[in-house]
Amino acid sequence: MAPPRPYWKGYLKLSLVTCPVSMMPATSESEKVRFHTLNRKSNNRVVSRYVDAVTGKEVDDDDEVKGYERGENDFLVIEDEELESVALESARTIDIEKFVPREAIEWIWLEKPHYLTPSDEVGHEAFSVIRDAMVAEKVAGISRLVIGRRERAVMLEPCGKGIIVWTLRYGDEVRKPETYFAEIGDGDDDPKLMSLVTSLIEERSKPWNPDMVSDPVQEKLLEIIESKRKSAKKVAKPKGKEGEPVHAGNVIDLMAALKGSLEKKKPGGKKS
């Protein structure tokens, strides 16, 4: 299958080394089931429009402007020209400004991956040199890039013959884990409990397979849609699967639950 057309084309730049590149999202949700909002009476689509919060009148595109709230119903108007003055000089160049050890960037900073490739044969050598040098030094590049009219911090890391461009969360977007984990005990684990849990982990450990993260909701939605196509009957609400846990607010004994889980694996063990 041919790769999708790039949605961004520009240049990768490191000092005086420059090469033309193309970028494509590494993930896609195009196959997901999507719904439109309809008017039940007419079956026509419902559209959204900006209206004035006080007058209720629709606002023309030319009259829409950015505003910073400094108090209740008190806004500072920021013009597009002022926003553009702090933007990147070039929206078409990934200029690698600095390098950091790849292991220094934790997963929580990574947002969305994109594939970066040279866009013509002339740029293959420059692209390969930048990629291979990062591999040799075990570093990732840090830069900025305009994606979808929004300026993003990005990280570049080698991936096989290509480069992955990760959009990064900004520093004020990531919360410190200590705020949430401070009250959790250090864990003076019962050796018997630890043995049972490790046994469960060993029994359930398998090689990674993308099917492990398939979307059952998506599959059910497709079944409902197909059923709707074939019949005008009302679709019954889906019932819970047999064997799903019943949440009745009961406190379950941890040791008993773990032993029960292991018992299922043994010959002649009780079935759920």
Side-chain angles (χ1 to χ4, degrees):
M1 186 175 71
R5 295 178 61 184
Y7 88 108
W8 185 94
K9 298 186 76 171
Y11 295 89
L12 176 63
K13 183 174 183 291
L14 174 59
S15 187
L16 300 179
V17 181
T18 305
C19 64
V21 290
S22 300
M23 190 170 70
M24 292 74 63
T27 59
S28 172
E29 295 188 353
S30 61
E31 301 301 317
K32 291 286 187 182
V33 174
R34 297 181 183 277
F35 297 101
H36 294 291
T37 301
L38 307 179
N39 180 342
R40 184 185 294 277
K41 295 180 179 179
S42 67
N43 213 40
N44 296 327
R45 285 184 58 184
V46 175
V47 296
S48 300
R49 300 185 186 280
Y50 285 107
V51 297
D52 189 295
V54 176
T55 67
K57 295 181 178 180
E58 188 174 330
V59 180
D60 294 334
D61 291 347
D62 293 340
D63 291 329
E64 294 175 13
V65 65
K66 298 288 189 298
Y68 175 80
E69 188 172 9
R70 58 182 176 182
E72 186 175 356
N73 296 322
D74 183 14
F75 298 89
L76 287 173
V77 173
I78 308 296
E79 301 293 345
D80 289 344
E81 295 78 10
E82 295 174 295
L83 294 174
E84 291 170 0
S85 69
V86 297
L88 284 173
E89 293 182 4
S90 173
R92 290 294 171 188
T93 301
I94 304 174
D95 191 353
I96 305 180
E97 302 164 350
K98 56 182 73 72
F99 293 92
V100 298
R102 173 59 188 91
E103 67 272 12
I105 304 177
E106 298 181 76
W107 64 268
I108 199 169
W109 296 96
L110 307 181
E111 192 171 52
K112 188 173 182 180
H114 303 75
Y115 292 134
L116 191 71
T117 62
S119 58
D120 61 36
E121 292 186 5
V122 176
H124 278 215
E125 183 176 10
F127 183 91
S128 298
V129 167
I130 294 173
R131 177 201 65 207
D132 294 344
M134 285 196 289
V135 172
E137 295 298 317
K138 298 180 180 179
V139 295
I142 303 297
S143 185
R144 293 187 299 161
L145 174 63
V146 175
I147 303 177
R149 300 181 65 182
R150 181 185 175 191
E151 185 175 310
R152 307 302 304 266
V154 295
M155 179 191 79
L156 294 83
E157 67 170 331
C159 177
K161 294 182 178 180
I163 291 175
I164 297 285
V165 176
W166 283 93
T167 52
L168 298 175
R169 294 181 174 89
Y170 287 113
D172 57 358
E173 295 176 338
V174 176
R175 296 174 175 175
K176 295 184 180 299
E178 294 81 6
T179 305
Y180 305 93
F181 301 157
E183 301 301 320
I184 300 176
D186 293 331
D188 296 326
D189 300 316
D190 183 327
K192 292 182 179 179
L193 283 176
M194 178 65 76
S195 176
L196 287 170
V197 173
T198 53
S199 295
L200 275 173
I201 291 174
E202 290 171 1
E203 289 182 0
R204 299 185 180 198
S205 294
K206 299 178 180 179
W208 162 252
N209 187 315
D211 290 339
M212 293 178 179
V213 287
S214 61
D215 186 351
V217 174
Q218 176 85 354
E219 295 171 3
K220 289 294 183 183
L221 285 173
L222 291 172
E223 290 176 9
I224 291 173
I225 291 169
E226 186 60 27
S227 177
K228 284 273 191 180
R229 285 174 176 165
K230 294 180 178 179
S231 172
K233 295 180 181 179
K234 292 183 178 180
V235 179
K237 293 182 180 180
K239 297 179 180 179
K241 296 179 181 178
E242 184 180 350
E244 286 186 345
V246 178
H247 300 285
N250 296 330
V251 179
I252 300 173
D253 181 81
L254 180 59
M255 182 70 79
L258 290 170
K259 286 182 177 179
S261 297
L262 289 170
E263 191 67 25
K264 293 178 184 179
K265 298 290 184 179
K266 298 178 181 179
K270 295 180 180 179
K271 294 183 179 179
S272 60

